[in-house]
Amino acid sequence: MQSETVFRNKAFSHIYVEDRILNIEQYRGRAEEILKHFPEAEVVAIDHYKDVFNRHKQNYVMQHESQALILALKQGNFVYPGAEVCQNMGNKHFYYASCMMNCLFDCEYCYLKGMYPSGNMVIFLNLEDIFTEVLGLLEKHPVYLCVSYDTDLMAVESLTGYVKKWIEFTSAHPELIIEIRTKAGNVDFRNLLPVYKDGMTDGGGRVIFAFTLSPEYVVSHYEHRTGSLENRIRAVKQALELGFTVRLCFDPMIYCPDWRKEYGSMLERVFSEIQMDRVYDLSVGSFRLSEEYLKAMRRNMPDSAVVQYPYQNDHGVYHYSEKLTDEMEKWLVSRLAEKVPVDRIFRWQDQDRG
Ligand code: SF4
């Protein structure tokens, strides 16, 4: 799945590999599997991924145009408590795991552009160490874990197989729920079916595929390299037909000229093609970003309308004015409520107000 996305763009002409990976058989094998996809790439041995990733004076935007890949082993923490600006979907013990840094896709508004010094992509090969940390948390309480965080795991599944591995791990631990968020369109869920079916003996619902849906205008102007709306809808339909648990995320809503028309025509397509009563739940939220990240992005992207928009700053978080936020989100919630009971629609601000 998704291999076309990888091969079509010119990413990964340079691949950096940490030396120590070569000394551990399990990880060396995993690295070799990934390298096989890029026979033309120049492979460079490095001591530590930070030597490349954290270099001074990198230009994230330029670098993302011709991304290099870094294969590394992660140390320290792997799992973090969910950030305030993220939806917890009603889950108390909400965490995210970072098994990759940066994304094959290139959303103009993506917070990663403000968070990381580099546009290059890092894949951590020691996934099992992340599992160990999750097991430690599971000893204390149930865990709701976003695993496609700081990246889009589905976009590179053909390289890593990590989605499959997460499903296998989750199926073995009944107190764990994972969310795999994606904007991918070129996905074939039949590849995941064997492991999903075998693993989810409790009837499913603990592996949630969360598709972000955006109007064509937003996809074409701001969500570069992601799946088209048409392809995302097709992937959602296939996932539902095969019995996967699907969440639809209308988050972040992005203000655009005539946003009602753009979001309205997206909803018409969604309602006519997706069986909404089979969707697990929905989330709604408008663009919001920490001051620190947005400032960095504004420096690097002087011509980006979505980045340069005059957002309102509230205690270090930039967002649309309260009036516009309310107008956009309430409008969307009321349209969705025509098809789905309101208790299955999570609005970020409702949850925030607690
Ligand atoms: S798909 Fe998500 S992680 Fe990837 S660039 Fe877009 S917003 Fe960022």
Side-chain angles (χ1 to χ4, degrees):
M1 81 166 53
Q2 287 302 301
S3 54
E4 283 173 43
T5 315
V6 174
F7 300 134
R8 262 205 308 268
N9 82 42
K10 296 215 168 73
F12 309 154
S13 61
H14 287 73
I15 302 182
Y16 299 92
V17 184
E18 282 185 345
D19 278 332
R20 56 201 170 134
I21 286 174
L22 306 174
N23 301 326
I24 307 170
E25 199 183 325
Q26 179 188 12
Y27 302 133
R28 188 176 61 231
R30 202 168 272 172
E32 283 166 358
E33 282 301 312
I34 292 173
L35 291 172
K36 265 192 217 160
H37 290 265
F38 306 99
E40 315 256 298
E42 188 175 327
V43 180
V44 183
I46 53 171
D47 187 32
H48 196 280
Y49 78 91
K50 288 183 180 172
D51 297 342
V52 178
F53 195 76
N54 289 3
R55 273 196 303 236
H56 292 298
K57 296 196 175 160
Q58 299 183 83
N59 183 319
Y60 186 107
V61 178
M62 303 258 296
Q63 216 164 33
H64 201 286
E65 293 292 306
S66 54
Q67 263 180 322
L69 178 62
I70 304 170
L71 303 181
L73 299 181
K74 189 166 166 64
Q75 294 164 304
N77 281 355
F78 300 89
V79 181
Y80 307 89
E84 261 182 41
V85 291
C86 299
Q87 288 207 330
N88 62 23
M89 305 300 288
N91 293 280
K92 191 168 167 212
H93 301 292
F94 166 48
Y95 295 85
Y96 68 92
S98 183
C99 46
M100 287 174 45
M101 297 199 297
N102 274 328
C103 187
L104 197 65
F105 297 151
D106 186 19
C107 302
E108 221 165 287
Y109 56 72
C110 180
Y111 70 98
L112 299 176
K113 290 182 162 62
M115 187 168 92
Y116 289 140
S118 167
N120 294 328
M121 195 160 102
V122 182
I123 299 178
F124 294 114
L125 300 186
N126 50 334
L127 189 62
E128 291 68 18
D129 290 337
I130 305 183
F131 293 161
T132 304
E133 195 169 319
V134 176
L135 287 177
L137 288 171
L138 285 170
E139 279 172 15
K140 298 182 206 150
H141 49 64
V143 172
Y144 173 80
L145 186 68
C146 295
V147 301
S148 186
Y149 209 87
D150 299 345
T151 191
D152 190 316
L153 275 193
M154 295 287 274
V156 288
E157 178 62 3
S158 66
L159 285 185
T160 64
Y162 278 9
V163 171
K164 269 190 191 149
K165 288 185 171 57
W166 272 114
I167 294 173
E168 282 169 338
F169 178 73
T170 304
S171 65
H173 299 94
E175 295 294 293
L176 176 63
I177 299 173
I178 63 168
E179 185 207 75
I180 302 160
R181 191 166 290 218
T182 187
K183 290 193 180 91
N186 187 15
V187 173
D188 189 345
F189 274 90
R190 287 172 302 186
N191 295 335
L192 296 175
L193 199 53
V195 51
Y196 188 82
K197 273 209 156 159
D198 292 347
M200 303 305 286
T201 48
D202 61 352
R206 292 193 296 105
V207 176
I208 301 168
F209 287 89
F211 279 87
T212 301
L213 298 182
S214 309
E216 283 295 5
Y217 181 95
V218 173
V219 176
S220 61
H221 283 76
Y222 303 127
E223 296 178 351
H224 314 298
R225 298 190 200 163
T226 62
S228 64
L229 175 61
E230 186 183 344
N231 284 346
R232 291 187 215 174
I233 289 175
R234 187 159 53 212
V236 167
K237 279 168 68 177
Q238 189 202 33
L240 288 172
E241 276 157 19
L242 292 172
F244 287 84
T245 301
V246 173
R247 165 173 296 149
L248 298 184
C249 304
F250 301 93
D251 182 6
M253 282 188 87
I254 301 289
Y255 173 78
C256 50
D258 218 349
W259 59 267
R260 280 190 191 78
K261 182 169 148 278
E262 300 296 343
Y263 277 88
S265 58
M266 172 191 69
L267 288 181
E268 292 311 318
R269 286 174 77 173
V270 168
F271 292 161
S272 71
E273 295 196 48
I274 295 174
Q275 272 189 278
M276 295 300 285
D277 57 341
R278 290 174 74 171
V279 172
Y280 184 65
D281 58 15
L282 302 100
S283 78
V284 172
S286 49
F287 179 82
R288 56 206 175 271
L289 195 61
S290 83
E291 179 180 2
E292 185 194 346
Y293 298 163
L294 191 69
K295 277 188 173 165
M297 289 159 73
R298 281 180 169 166
R299 275 196 301 275
N300 286 334
M301 293 187 280
D303 301 323
S304 166
V306 69
V307 166
Q308 299 297 336
Y309 182 91
Y311 298 102
Q312 190 175 305
N313 186 345
D314 246 337
H315 307 294
V317 177
Y318 277 104
H319 51 78
Y320 296 116
S321 70
E322 200 168 326
K323 181 170 174 292
L324 183 58
T325 301
D326 246 28
E327 218 173 295
M328 293 205 304
E329 293 183 5
K330 282 186 176 162
W331 178 88
L332 186 57
V333 169
S334 74
R335 289 295 318 271
L336 292 169
E338 293 166 17
K339 301 284 178 188
V340 175
V342 274
D343 61 355
R344 284 203 283 133
I345 306 172
F346 288 81
R347 186 181 164 206
W348 178 73
Q349 291 212 331
D350 294 341
Q351 150 198 302
D352 190 45
R353 286 174 189 141

